[in-house]
Amino acid sequence: MVTIKSDREVSLMREAGQVLARVHKELEEFVKPGLTTLDIDEKCEKLIRSMGAVPSFKGYAGFPASACVSVNEEVIHGIPSNDRIIREGDIVSIDTGVIYKGWQSDAARTHAVGDVDPEILLLIERTRNSFFEGIKKAVAGGRVNDIGAAVEDYIGPFGYGIVEDYVGHGIGKEMHEDPEVPNYTCERRGVKLQKNMTLAVEPMINLGTWEVEVLSNEWTVVTLDGAPSAHYENTILVTDGAPEVLSLLPEEKKLYHVK
Ligand code: MG
């Protein structure tokens, strides 16, 4: 079911978004070579709880941690582990969510650790850009699948693979609500967007093939060809004009020229 939030509910989702934005900002500064992916998860959980929020991923469908920490060829759902050490040259995607005053926010960032291959740095930058291109279409009166079409229009010329097996989603009191938000062009344009709908838009872009597989741990999604993958996600609010990005800090919104 697609839920339309009241103005009061929107202001609570805005608060949840700001908590998550602060968590991500702190994690960005925290990620360093030598840490394990479990160190990152523990830091993430501590940050979330210190802000009076609850980690929404922990226990969700049995997921054992507060953050998905996915390294290099891992696309999403990396399970934090004491054995996985982050090294110079890696890229680390952190996807995490909070519940604050009963409302959800979901966001992901991919970080470059130390000196990273310029080609991979471009992948990260363009994945982020594709999110901002996509959400230009997230306007009341438009259609949800116009978002993915805009992502694909932007990404296509670079020859990257757009992950199709996993998509963005509505969000509110539940982490995953309708509608689905694909990151690619669909035959149908999907549901009509309305003011006060809230969506998690999350392009996952691979340097090589779009195809992915799930590891035997039944969580971690990796690229089929082993090439690196980047992820960028925010929770957004549909308005009559440009969407509001709920899970970015004011200075980040300024940097990316969004509301
Ligand atoms: Mg999500």
Side-chain angles (χ1 to χ4, degrees):
M1 195 183 72
V2 176
T3 61
I4 309 297
K5 281 74 183 177
S6 68
D7 288 342
R8 187 191 139 268
E9 291 168 343
V10 163
S11 65
L12 291 169
M13 286 202 65
R14 195 174 279 127
E15 286 185 48
Q18 288 306 294
V19 167
L20 184 55
R22 292 197 335 256
V23 168
H24 268 299
K25 192 74 202 163
E26 298 244 9
L27 289 174
E28 181 184 332
E29 285 152 24
F30 180 74
V31 173
K32 280 181 187 61
L35 292 176
T36 67
T37 54
L38 188 64
D39 292 329
I40 294 170
D41 175 62
E42 285 173 354
K43 176 74 175 179
C44 179
E45 178 166 359
K46 237 178 247 167
L47 285 166
I48 290 171
R49 294 197 190 277
S50 76
M51 294 176 197
V54 173
S56 57
F57 286 21
K58 199 157 195 179
Y60 186 89
F63 191 75
S66 299
C68 296
V69 186
S70 307
V71 184
N72 298 337
E73 78 287 357
E74 295 171 352
V75 180
I76 49 170
H77 302 169
I79 299 178
S81 159
N82 214 15
D83 299 327
R84 186 72 194 250
I85 299 166
I86 306 294
R87 307 203 183 277
E88 173 105 11
D90 284 343
I91 64 169
V92 181
S93 299
I94 304 175
D95 188 357
T96 187
V98 301
I99 306 168
Y100 187 70
K101 298 182 182 174
W103 294 86
Q104 301 259 354
S105 199
D106 187 2
R109 313 273 183 259
T110 299
H111 304 292
V113 182
D115 227 358
V116 167
D117 185 324
E119 191 186 26
I120 302 172
L121 286 178
L122 267 180
L123 173 74
I124 295 174
E125 186 186 316
R126 288 166 173 167
T127 300
R128 187 176 60 226
N129 291 346
S130 75
F131 164 87
F132 291 108
E133 287 302 314
I135 67 163
K136 285 180 185 167
K137 299 291 183 186
V139 179
R143 298 280 179 157
V144 70
N145 291 348
D146 294 349
I147 297 170
V151 169
E152 185 168 333
D153 282 349
Y154 173 77
I155 287 296
F158 303 121
Y160 299 145
I162 300 176
V163 174
E164 295 190 0
D165 294 7
Y166 301 87
V167 296
H169 48 93
I171 181 167
K173 273 208 171 293
E174 302 296 329
M175 178 156 52
H176 293 117
E177 297 184 356
D178 290 332
E180 289 196 338
V181 187
N183 298 301
Y184 49 88
T185 306
C186 299
E187 216 165 292
R188 291 164 188 248
R189 291 181 66 207
V191 302
K192 195 179 244 184
L193 297 171
Q194 295 178 56
K195 188 180 169 206
N196 286 9
M197 277 174 66
T198 41
L199 305 172
V201 179
E202 51 176 322
M204 293 151 243
I205 311 293
N206 302 343
L207 192 60
T209 179
W210 61 274
E211 286 182 282
V212 297
E213 63 181 341
V214 181
L215 296 183
S216 58
N217 66 20
E218 293 183 354
W219 277 107
T220 311
V221 177
V222 298
T223 57
L224 203 56
D225 59 3
S229 180
H231 187 196
Y232 188 81
E233 174 183 28
N234 282 299
T235 299
I236 67 163
L237 171 70
V238 176
T239 75
D240 288 325
E244 183 179 332
V245 184
L246 300 178
S247 53
L248 281 178
L249 296 171
E251 60 265 33
E252 293 170 320
K253 294 185 196 190
K254 215 167 162 190
L255 182 66
Y256 299 127
H257 308 289
V258 290
K259 266 206 309 194

